């Protein structure tokens, strides 16, 4: 290509150096180990407070955590580039993780204060909403996807979703709250996208919304089968997701739509043909062939790299 | 002798296309330049993206299972010998189908041929295993070694024929299970496993020639990394106590390393340091990214298990200290590289040259969403609070809870 003048000399030399290993970028490795380091610091701090809070004392813990997150936030406001509605590159390799560290320490600080002093009493969960709003603000101010993920998971916590309790059943009110949460997140993401503010964040909103909505709808189908709004809602949602994935050429959403949609339809169908073994096997053969055929037709419209 | 269904030229061109796409994502070449590169690297094969590949794989497996289930239901076969024979025949038919899809439809990592090939391995091995158990009238457990050997050989064949790396991993895992079925002492099992893994690694290292095509070098590097990880897991006797130390049944595992003789225990301790160092050296010298990354992770694990090996008291702040060390090290390397000529030293640079492709959400973002739950801020509600709508908070970023 270089001989045919399709690549210029500088491009050719750069690509040759990269290919031969003459230039070897360790950027991703450094970012990964910075991230693991920050995660370990957060985990270590959390465990230390949990085990030794009586020995260390409230003042020491609160002041240390406060100093850490104020320091981190101050650094970000001093070093960070000015706000832009477009994607902003971080000023340095550690910047994103310092903000993330600050947010995590802020969480620990308010969690500790509330645990020890019960400032908000029964409405202590308002802290979650405040934290979520703060993280959202910081995520947009500094263009940080990690903090946005934290903001959305904190919002989920405010809606009542926890990882600390294991539930096999998906109670009715959790289902309703999951649906409300999914719609809120989707609308929020859509609103920012329409306003042209950090449009590249929309994927994170969509990922959170899709999983919460689809799991909630499937749990509804599992309980009420075809006789509810859950089934048509799931079908509608999956169809929308398929169209969206084709439109933006992001096929992760196609995968979600096919898997969730198939599970929903299968729950309804298997219920109907439960004791008819022949129909059961035939159903799985026919539907899996149908899925393969449909995706084959769709996939032919795209290059292998899309 | 090349047993592979794809020619070396095809695989090399696929590798070139992959590289070119990475260059395009990273802004090193334009879309037009990428399109112009494609005719130079013609492959005459049909590929698809990773998501369609997963869909094809899952639904082909589902279809094969349902067809087999329907067949057994219709024919009402009960005799073990007939079941065994049917499984072998079905395995052979499905394998032939996998080859057919590649030869006729030129599928390459499409999901369909992969599911067919993997299913054929499972069916064929299960069929032979059932048949031999029945023929020799023994207990199924007596023939577990045979089953592992069957999986090793058939998965290896699939790797050689189709080039699926995970088939090679399956083959290695299957052979690694064999020492654990020989009623040996824990030390014997570990030694046997170590020798086995070292032999395979040695063979792959010897077969890795500088004159090989790039795709072969990449495959070899992945296999070497996998084997290095397996060797490290075999060597580090304390690794099992690291994640389970927080579980209720931790005591069972904590006594496990003490069952090894002291010379093995301390040899393993020394090896946990030697392996990451050797891996980092190899990764830096030959620019093998995967081996370098894996060795760095192994070095972190070695640091984490060091105290357990030495029997020192572990503190809650140990992870934080390791984290601080990692942050300082990463920042120092970054600063050192950036202060060099053209922001590079000895060919290494901290500049973001090759950007990964974004599929919407990354693992780091998922981990960020789960981080507050890992800080140990558990929810311990009073009984009166249980069952209320908003009962929690540990999953969220706030992590706020009423009790530490």
């Amino acid at each position: 290509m270089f001989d045919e003048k399709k690549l210029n000399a500088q491009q050719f030399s750069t690509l040759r150096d990269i290919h031969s290993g003459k230039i070897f970028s360790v950027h991703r490795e450094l970012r990964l180990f910075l991230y693991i380091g920050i995660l370990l610091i957060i985990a270590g701090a959390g465990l230390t407070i949990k085990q030794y809070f009586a020995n260390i004392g409230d003042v020491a813990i609160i002041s240390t955590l406060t100093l850490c997150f104020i320091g981190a936030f101050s650094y970000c406001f001093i070093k960070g580039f000015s706000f832009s509605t477009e994607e902003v590159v971080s000023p340095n390799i550690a910047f994103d993780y310092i903000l993330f560290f600050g947010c995590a320490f802020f969480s620990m600080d308010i969690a500790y204060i509330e645990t020890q002093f019960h400032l908000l009493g029964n409405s202590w969960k308002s802290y979650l909403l405040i934290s979520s709003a703060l993280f959202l603000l910081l995520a947009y101010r500094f263009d940080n996807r990690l903090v946005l993920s934290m903001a959305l998971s904190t919002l989920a916590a405010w809606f009542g979703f926890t990882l600390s309790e294991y539930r096999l059943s998906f109670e009715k009110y959790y289902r309703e709250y999951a649906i409300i949460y999914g719609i809120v997140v989707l609308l929020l993401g859509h609103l920012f996208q329409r306003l042209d503010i950090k449009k590249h964040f929309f994927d994170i909103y969509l990922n959170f919304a899709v999983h919460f909505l689809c799991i909630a709808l499937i749990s509804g189908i599992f309980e009420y089968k075809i006789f509810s709004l859950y089934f048509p809602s799931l079908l509608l949602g999956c169809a929308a997701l398929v169209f969206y994935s084709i439109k933006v050429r992001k096929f992760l959403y196609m995968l979600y739509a096919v898997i969730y949609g198939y599970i929903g339809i299968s729950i309804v169908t298997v219920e109907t043909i439960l004791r008819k073994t022949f129909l059961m096997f035939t159903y799985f053969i026919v539907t899996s062939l149908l899925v393969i055929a449909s995706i084959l037709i769709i996939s032919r419209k795209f290059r292998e790299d899309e | 002798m090349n047993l592979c269904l794809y020619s070396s030229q095809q695989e090399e061109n696929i590798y070139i296309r992959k590289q070119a796409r990475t260059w395009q994502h990273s802004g090193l070449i334009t879309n037009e330049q990428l399109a112009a590169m494609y005719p130079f690297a013609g492959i005459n094969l049909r590929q698809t993206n990773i998501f369609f590949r997963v869909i094809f794989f899952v639904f082909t497996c589902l279809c094969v299972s349902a067809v087999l289930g329907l067949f057994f239901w219709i024919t009402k076969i009960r005799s073990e010998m007939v079941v065994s024979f049917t499984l072998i025949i079905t395995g052979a038919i499905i394998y032939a189908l996998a080859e057919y899809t590649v030869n006729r439809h030129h599928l390459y990592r499409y999901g369909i041929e992969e599911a067919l090939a993997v299913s054929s391995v499972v069916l064929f091995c299960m069929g032979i295993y059932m048949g031999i158990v029945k023929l020799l009238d023994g207990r199924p457990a007596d023939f577990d070694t045979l089953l592992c050997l069957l999986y090793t050989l058939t998965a290896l064949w699939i790797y050689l024929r189709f080039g699926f790396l995970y088939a090679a991993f399956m083959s290695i895992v299957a052979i690694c299970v064999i020492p654990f079925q020989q009623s040996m002492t824990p030390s014997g099992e570990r030694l046997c496993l170590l020798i086995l893994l070292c032999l395979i690694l040695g063979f792959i290292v010897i077969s890795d020639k500088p004159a090989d095509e790039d795709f072969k070098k990449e495959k070899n590097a992945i296999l070497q990394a996998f084997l290095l990880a397996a060797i490290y897991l075999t060597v580090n006797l304390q690794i099992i106590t690291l994640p389970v130390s927080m579980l209720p049944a931790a005591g069972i595992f904590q006594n496990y390393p003490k069952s090894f003789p002291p010379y093995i225990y301390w040899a393993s301790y020394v090896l946990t340091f030697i392996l990451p160092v050797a891996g980092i050296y190899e990764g830096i010298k030959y620019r093998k990214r995967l081996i370098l990354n894996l060795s760095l992770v192994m070095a972190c694990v070695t640091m984490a298990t060091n105290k357990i090996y030495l029997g020192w008291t572990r503190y809650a702040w140990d992870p934080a200290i390791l984290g601080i060390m990692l942050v300082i090290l990463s920042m120092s390397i970054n600063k050192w590289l950036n202060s060099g000529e053209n922001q590079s030293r000895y060919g290494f640079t901290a500049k973001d040259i090759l950007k990964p492709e974004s599929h919407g959400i990354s693992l780091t973002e998922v981990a960020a969403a789960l981080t507050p739950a890992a800080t140990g801020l558990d929810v311990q509600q009073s009984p009166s609070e249980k069952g209320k709508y908003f009962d929690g908070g540990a999953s969220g970023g706030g992590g706020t809870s009423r009790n530490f």
Side-chain angles (χ1 to χ4, degrees):
Chain A
M1 280 191 62
F2 176 61
D3 294 337
E4 291 183 16
K5 306 266 187 254
K6 284 177 181 164
L7 280 179
N8 63 42
Q10 199 192 343
Q11 272 183 321
F12 178 69
S13 133
T14 309
L15 296 180
R16 192 186 51 196
D17 288 349
I18 291 170
H19 181 70
S20 63
K22 209 171 160 188
I23 302 177
F24 190 85
S25 172
V26 287
H27 181 84
R28 269 188 281 166
E29 283 73 15
L30 291 174
R31 281 185 77 98
L32 176 72
F33 284 96
L34 263 172
Y35 187 48
I36 294 173
I38 295 290
L39 287 178
L40 285 170
I41 293 172
I42 295 165
L47 287 171
T48 307
I49 294 170
K50 199 177 174 185
Q51 281 189 21
Y52 299 101
F53 68 94
N55 307 41
I56 303 170
D58 294 340
V59 178
I61 291 172
I62 294 168
S63 53
T64 310
L65 291 174
T66 310
L67 271 175
C68 283
F69 84 73
I70 288 178
F73 289 165
S74 309
Y75 173 86
C76 292
F77 276 100
I78 292 165
K79 288 274 180 183
F81 296 136
S82 55
F83 175 76
S84 164
T85 52
E86 300 297 315
E87 193 165 356
V88 178
V89 181
S90 306
N92 59 56
I93 198 168
F95 187 83
D96 287 348
Y97 305 113
I98 291 172
L99 184 64
F100 176 64
F101 167 84
C103 291
F105 270 62
F106 171 80
S107 298
M108 274 193 274
D109 200 12
I110 57 166
Y112 187 80
I113 292 169
E114 180 52 31
T115 308
Q116 298 301 97
F117 305 109
H118 310 301
L119 294 181
L120 283 188
N122 283 336
S123 52
W124 64 272
K125 284 180 183 92
S126 306
Y127 276 125
L128 292 168
L129 199 58
I130 297 164
S131 302
S132 177
L134 175 73
F135 296 161
L136 200 70
L137 196 80
L138 290 169
Y140 273 86
R141 171 62 186 83
F142 297 110
D143 202 321
N144 193 313
R145 292 165 69 99
L146 300 176
V147 176
L148 180 65
S149 298
M150 259 180 118
L152 295 181
S153 69
T154 308
L155 188 65
W158 184 74
F159 270 89
F161 299 101
T162 68
L163 286 179
S164 53
E165 282 184 39
Y166 302 103
R167 289 186 191 85
L168 291 173
S169 62
F170 208 84
E171 291 98 335
K172 186 173 177 287
Y173 49 84
Y174 280 108
R175 188 181 308 132
E176 285 163 3
Y177 277 103
I179 292 170
I180 296 168
Y181 171 79
I183 292 169
V184 166
V185 167
L186 196 62
L187 289 177
L188 201 63
H190 185 64
L191 177 73
F192 282 118
Q193 202 191 26
R194 287 297 295 266
L195 293 171
D196 274 347
I197 302 171
K198 308 279 180 197
K199 283 166 98 172
H200 56 284
F201 278 175
F202 186 64
D203 279 323
I204 296 179
Y205 285 101
L206 194 55
N207 269 283
F208 271 84
V210 164
H211 291 303
F212 272 85
L213 274 174
C214 289
I215 292 171
L217 291 174
I218 284 175
S219 85
I221 296 171
F222 201 76
E223 194 169 334
Y224 301 105
K225 306 298 179 294
I226 201 164
F227 307 106
S228 68
L229 278 175
Y230 294 115
F231 186 61
S233 305
L234 182 75
L235 292 187
L236 206 69
C238 289
L241 213 52
V242 167
F243 283 113
Y244 177 77
S245 81
I246 292 172
K247 190 183 161 198
V248 298
R249 303 195 168 204
K250 285 190 173 169
F251 299 105
L252 173 66
Y253 304 115
M254 178 83 80
L255 178 69
Y256 292 160
V258 170
I259 300 289
Y260 283 125
Y262 192 80
I263 293 172
I265 294 170
S266 298
I267 292 170
V268 169
T269 318
V270 168
E271 169 73 12
T272 320
I273 53 172
L274 194 58
R275 298 194 186 282
K276 295 158 187 156
T277 315
F278 177 79
L279 283 180
M280 283 264 273
F281 284 125
T282 313
Y283 164 78
F284 283 112
I285 295 166
V286 172
T287 51
S288 52
L289 286 174
L290 271 176
V291 171
I292 292 170
S294 323
I295 301 295
L296 264 177
I297 293 166
I298 294 171
S299 71
R300 280 184 187 169
K301 292 183 181 165
F302 305 101
R303 287 202 325 253
E304 85 263 14
D305 53 330
E306 288 183 309
Chain B
M1 188 176 63
N2 188 16
L3 293 170
C4 192
L5 285 167
Y6 310 104
S7 70
S8 292
Q9 189 59 53
Q10 280 177 322
E11 295 223 61
E12 184 65 2
N13 285 349
I14 286 166
Y15 177 83
I16 292 168
R17 282 177 172 222
K18 207 170 91 183
Q19 291 289 99
R21 283 201 296 274
T22 311
W23 297 338
Q24 187 252 327
H25 290 309
S26 314
L28 296 169
I29 56 170
T30 61
N31 280 337
E32 292 73 34
Q33 285 172 326
L34 175 72
M37 270 184 191
Y38 274 20
F40 289 95
I43 49 174
N44 190 29
L45 290 171
R46 285 170 66 182
Q47 288 179 278
T48 192
N49 62 62
I50 181 72
F51 307 110
F52 286 167
R53 189 177 163 192
V54 172
I55 294 173
F56 285 136
F57 187 90
V58 170
F59 284 93
T60 309
C61 283
L62 186 65
C63 188
V64 168
S65 318
V67 167
L68 204 67
L70 184 64
F71 176 80
F72 280 117
W73 183 78
I74 289 173
T75 54
K76 306 227 175 332
I77 295 170
R78 292 289 176 270
S79 156
E80 281 179 40
M81 274 313 284
V82 183
V83 170
S84 150
F85 187 70
T86 313
L87 287 177
I88 294 168
I89 297 291
T90 318
I93 293 170
I94 289 174
Y95 175 78
L97 258 177
E99 287 228 0
Y100 174 79
T101 55
V102 174
N103 289 323
R104 180 70 194 265
H105 298 288
H106 310 289
L107 300 188
Y108 182 86
R109 310 291 188 270
Y110 216 84
I112 297 173
E113 87 287 10
E114 295 177 83
L116 291 173
V118 172
S119 307
S120 73
V121 167
V122 176
L123 295 174
F124 189 75
C125 293
M126 287 312 292
I128 292 190
Y129 174 71
M130 280 178 76
I132 289 180
V133 169
K134 184 69 186 164
L135 267 179
L136 302 178
D137 205 20
R139 287 184 308 128
D142 298 337
F143 298 96
D144 286 350
T145 306
L146 175 82
L147 185 65
C148 290
L149 266 176
L150 276 171
Y151 271 114
T152 304
L153 294 174
T154 45
L156 182 66
W157 173 258
I158 295 293
Y159 167 66
L160 295 173
R161 195 79 179 136
F162 293 86
F164 306 146
L165 271 169
Y166 54 83
F169 299 158
M170 274 167 66
S171 178
I172 293 168
V173 170
I175 203 165
C176 286
V177 177
I178 294 174
F180 295 97
Q181 293 164 339
Q182 308 306 314
S183 310
M184 287 191 272
T185 59
S187 312
E189 285 170 353
R190 292 267 174 166
L191 274 176
C192 214
L193 185 59
L194 189 61
I195 292 165
L196 211 58
L197 288 169
C198 287
L199 282 174
I200 304 170
L201 181 64
F203 176 75
I204 290 170
V205 170
I206 291 166
S207 65
D208 190 9
K209 296 184 183 76
D212 277 347
E213 293 101 330
D214 290 323
F215 83 93
K216 270 188 193 159
K217 282 185 200 162
E218 194 195 32
K219 263 187 186 177
N220 273 335
I222 296 171
L223 283 174
Q224 284 173 27
F226 180 79
L227 285 160
L228 194 63
I231 289 172
Y232 184 79
L233 290 174
T234 310
V235 158
N236 195 330
L237 302 178
Q238 293 288 6
I239 204 160
I240 199 162
T241 60
L242 197 63
V244 297
S245 57
M246 285 162 239
L247 298 176
I252 306 163
F253 296 100
Q254 273 162 358
N255 284 327
Y256 177 69
K258 288 171 190 159
S259 60
F260 290 92
Y263 62 92
I264 287 190
Y265 185 82
W266 293 112
S268 87
Y269 176 67
V270 174
L271 279 172
T272 57
F273 284 89
I274 292 174
L275 277 172
V277 172
I280 291 169
Y281 175 76
E282 169 91 0
I284 289 175
K285 192 176 176 192
Y286 298 105
R287 305 287 202 261
K288 290 180 177 172
R289 189 179 295 279
L290 201 58
I291 291 179
L292 178 65
N293 291 354
L294 179 81
S295 306
L296 289 168
V297 171
M298 292 191 315
C300 290
V301 178
T302 297
M303 299 302 285
T305 52
N306 183 45
K307 269 191 164 184
I308 317 174
Y309 257 110
L310 298 171
W312 292 354
T313 313
R314 292 161 73 194
Y315 298 104
W317 53 81
D318 286 344
I321 291 171
L322 182 59
I324 292 167
M325 279 165 63
L326 278 178
V327 170
I328 292 172
L329 197 68
S330 304
M331 292 301 292
S332 311
I333 294 171
N334 182 52
K335 200 173 174 185
W336 179 68
L337 289 174
N338 282 334
S339 62
E341 198 183 334
N342 290 329
Q343 289 179 276
S344 69
R345 286 177 190 267
Y346 309 106
F348 289 92
T349 179
K351 280 191 286 187
D352 191 9
I353 298 175
L354 296 174
K355 294 182 180 74
E357 192 180 353
S358 169
H359 293 298
I361 194 162
S362 67
L363 275 178
T364 53
E365 285 140 19
V366 175
L370 299 172
T371 299
T375 54
L377 310 176
D378 290 335
V379 178
Q380 291 172 24
Q381 293 169 290
S382 63
S384 61
E385 268 195 308
K386 286 204 171 186
K388 284 190 180 175
Y389 286 10
F390 297 98
D391 56 345
S395 78
T400 316
S401 59
R402 295 307 296 260
N403 294 295
F404 266 82

